Each structure stands twice: as C-alpha cells, then as structure tokens.
Amino acid sequence: MSIATVSVRGDFAYVYDESGRTICSVPLAGGSLQGYTNSSLSIKRGAFIYVHDERGRNIRTIPA
C-alpha cells in the first residue's frame, strides 16, 4: 500500500492511499510534518525528525 497524500488536522497527520481511504494517523505531538514520499512521512519534533512508514510505525529517528 502506498501513500498518496497526507493531511494535517489538529494534532495528527492523516495518511491516505490512492483510493482516498485513511491508512493511518500519526500524532504530531507538538511537531510538524516535514514531508512525505509514497512509502514514508517525516515529522519534526524538537531536535529530531521521526520517519514513519505507511502504517504509522517509526522506522528511523534522525537528529535535525
């Protein structure tokens, strides 16, 4: 399943597939969406960027 788009509403980033169905939601926890690809999305929280897969699982943490 691929990420088609991501929208931010309130304190969550909502991930959608090509059909417009919600795949998952990822809490921003005071952070901000930095960007997304067809397989991941990046959220900056404090001094780190958290990379999540299309299911919302954290796959990498990078110092910002």
Side-chain angles (χ1 to χ4, degrees), residues 5-16 22-26:
T5 188
V6 177
S7 69
V8 175
R9 291 190 314 240
D11 292 331
F12 288 88
Y14 293 89
V15 180
Y16 301 95
T22 304
I23 301 172
C24 70
S25 60
V26 179

Side-chain angles (χ1 to χ4, degrees), residues 2-63:
S2 295
I3 296 173
T5 188
V6 177
S7 69
V8 175
R9 291 190 314 240
D11 292 331
F12 288 88
Y14 293 89
V15 180
Y16 301 95
D17 66 9
E18 299 87 3
S19 301
R21 291 179 295 209
T22 304
I23 301 172
C24 70
S25 60
V26 179
L28 294 175
S32 61
L33 178 67
Q34 296 297 296
Y36 64 93
T37 67
N38 66 341
S39 61
S40 67
L41 67 142
S42 301
I43 298 174
K44 183 174 186 215
R45 295 182 192 113
F48 294 95
I49 296 176
Y50 296 87
V51 181
H52 298 269
D53 67 8
E54 64 274 0
R55 302 232 180 240
R57 296 177 294 219
N58 185 23
I59 56 174
R60 186 175 306 139
T61 303
I62 305 166

